[in-house]
Amino acid sequence: QVQLVESGGGLVQPGGSLRLSCAASGSIFSVNAMHWYRQAPGKERELVAAIANGGNTNYAESVKGRFTISRDNAKNTAYLQMNSLKPEDTAVYYCNADLWIAGGMRYLEVWGQGTLVTVSS
């Protein structure tokens, strides 16, 4: 029905920057909130950043001041700009979206496949 595709992950040095993208496609009527989660080996998945349809944002304390979430509603795409990266930011990053499916009153939570971010010297 719908898909989220993340991109932009890779290997960066500590202190470096990276921008992740999350594009939603399919029979979408509208996208409500969008979120970025991450999961490191041996740890539970955690919410990193969230952005509402109107643009309000929230961040985990561990990334506040370093990461910025944004969205382009015309493209049904969310972004995560990551600056001053630390080794502890290493994880698989997942995009999540709450959206309405076109053609009916169906509200879904959709997850992307994830993109790996590795911060290492």
Side-chain angles (χ1 to χ4, degrees), residues 1-2 24-33 53 71 76 97-110:
Q1 200 84 19
V2 298
S25 63
S27 301
I28 301 170
F29 179 77
S30 65
V31 179
N32 192 10
N53 181 268
R71 64 190 291 169
N76 287 332
D98 301 320
L99 51 84
W100 288 97
I101 299 299
M105 298 298 290
R106 291 182 292 145
Y107 195 64
L108 299 179
E109 180 182 68
V110 184

Side-chain angles (χ1 to χ4, degrees), residues 75-86:
K75 297 180 179 179
N76 287 332
T77 299
Y79 306 93
L80 185 67
Q81 178 66 46
M82 304 183 293
N83 299 325
S84 301
L85 284 162
K86 305 174 181 179

Side-chain angles (χ1 to χ4, degrees), residues 48-107:
V48 176
I51 184 166
N53 181 268
N56 289 335
T57 59
N58 285 288
Y59 299 91
E61 285 295 323
S62 60
V63 307
K64 194 171 296 182
R66 299 188 297 120
F67 290 11
T68 302
I69 188 172
S70 61
R71 64 190 291 169
D72 185 338
N73 290 337
K75 297 180 179 179
N76 287 332
T77 299
Y79 306 93
L80 185 67
Q81 178 66 46
M82 304 183 293
N83 299 325
S84 301
L85 284 162
K86 305 174 181 179
E88 50 264 44
D89 294 319
T90 296
V92 176
Y93 284 71
Y94 297 91
C95 182
N96 167 273
D98 301 320
L99 51 84
W100 288 97
I101 299 299
M105 298 298 290
R106 291 182 292 145
Y107 195 64

